[in-house]
Amino acid sequence: MKAARPGRIIIVRHGRPQVIPKEAPPMGWRDYREWWAKYEQSSLKDGQCCPDDLLKEVGEDAIILSSARPRAMQTAGQLGRGRAIKHDPMFNEAPLPAPKLGRFPMWPKNWNKLARLLWMLGHSGGEEHVRDAKRRAAQAAEELIRTAEHNDGRDVVLAAHGWFNRMLRPGLKKRGWVNVHDGGDKYWSY
């Protein structure tokens, strides 16, 4: 008997959270560290609804996964429409450790860029190091593939985060998976 073809892997960025960079004032590194911690625990902004085109992509029998962050879990809840969802911190966003730059105030979106650049260069500030996050992303890609290959052709849908979703791509590509749609990095993109 021939094995079923694996289902698709659909990777979704969460919807718009309550705490967003464009709505915060300039701040120093300590305040940014606190702001990022609030962002990480932020729920979806009130009134967020999954776009119809994304809902149409998610079949009734799809397996729904998410990170363990509230905004991703709520996104997955909308995608699943009442189905069971597996929440796993393996899919959490890569950290953004604030570099200690005195009292130099910046907008959070600028802190995000600086923190991400320095993190990619090895600054971890006591949080997950970039090499460990890359290993976690490779393991997460393997988990997505394993789930897709062993569930009778059902699609696997992951609700996670912008940067971590990008980090999944090399592991998927290495195993022969091809990106057939790139919706960008906006909220609700897939």
Side-chain angles (χ1 to χ4, degrees):
M1 186 171 178
K2 188 176 179 182
R5 210 171 141 211
R8 298 176 301 164
I9 297 173
I10 302 172
I11 301 172
V12 179
R13 184 176 183 209
H14 58 78
R16 182 180 173 153
Q18 287 282 2
V19 176
I20 60 169
K22 293 178 183 175
E23 296 177 0
M27 58 186 72
W29 74 269
R30 284 184 181 90
D31 291 332
Y32 172 76
R33 183 176 58 195
E34 290 174 20
W35 178 89
W36 177 253
K38 287 178 187 171
Y39 176 82
E40 279 294 83
Q41 296 307 315
S42 181
S43 298
L44 290 181
K45 191 168 183 84
D46 292 340
Q48 286 286 292
C49 292
C50 183
D52 288 337
D53 62 330
L54 176 54
L55 281 176
K56 289 175 187 171
E57 287 293 325
V58 179
E60 293 295 322
D61 66 344
I63 297 164
I64 312 293
L65 309 171
S66 84
S67 87
R69 298 291 186 228
R71 61 196 184 276
M73 293 189 300
Q74 291 170 333
T75 298
Q78 289 192 36
L79 295 169
R81 297 166 272 196
R83 282 177 274 167
I85 299 163
K86 180 183 175 189
H87 309 294
D88 193 328
M90 173 179 23
F91 301 116
N92 285 0
E93 180 63 293
L96 275 176
K100 298 176 182 179
L101 295 177
R103 298 184 190 271
F104 184 67
M106 288 191 289
W107 297 96
K109 66 180 181 177
N110 294 333
W111 275 113
N112 287 355
K113 292 172 187 172
L114 179 62
R116 181 62 69 213
L117 174 65
L118 294 175
W119 178 77
M120 290 179 359
L121 294 173
H123 169 74
S124 67
E127 297 185 44
E128 182 181 37
H129 194 277
V130 64
R131 75 176 159 269
D132 298 325
K134 285 180 179 181
R135 272 194 288 266
R136 178 167 60 91
Q139 292 169 344
E142 285 297 321
E143 177 64 21
L144 292 172
I145 292 167
R146 194 171 24 260
T147 304
E149 290 178 342
H150 294 95
N151 280 286
D152 299 320
R154 293 165 60 197
D155 290 342
V156 177
V157 180
L158 170 65
H161 309 274
W163 194 262
F164 192 73
N165 289 354
R166 283 188 207 113
M167 293 179 71
L168 291 168
R169 292 175 184 166
L172 293 168
K173 186 176 181 180
K174 182 179 176 183
R175 288 283 308 277
W177 287 75
V178 177
N179 183 8
V180 296
H181 170 79
D182 186 344
D185 293 320
K186 295 182 179 183
Y187 301 123
W188 298 105
S189 62
Y190 63 97

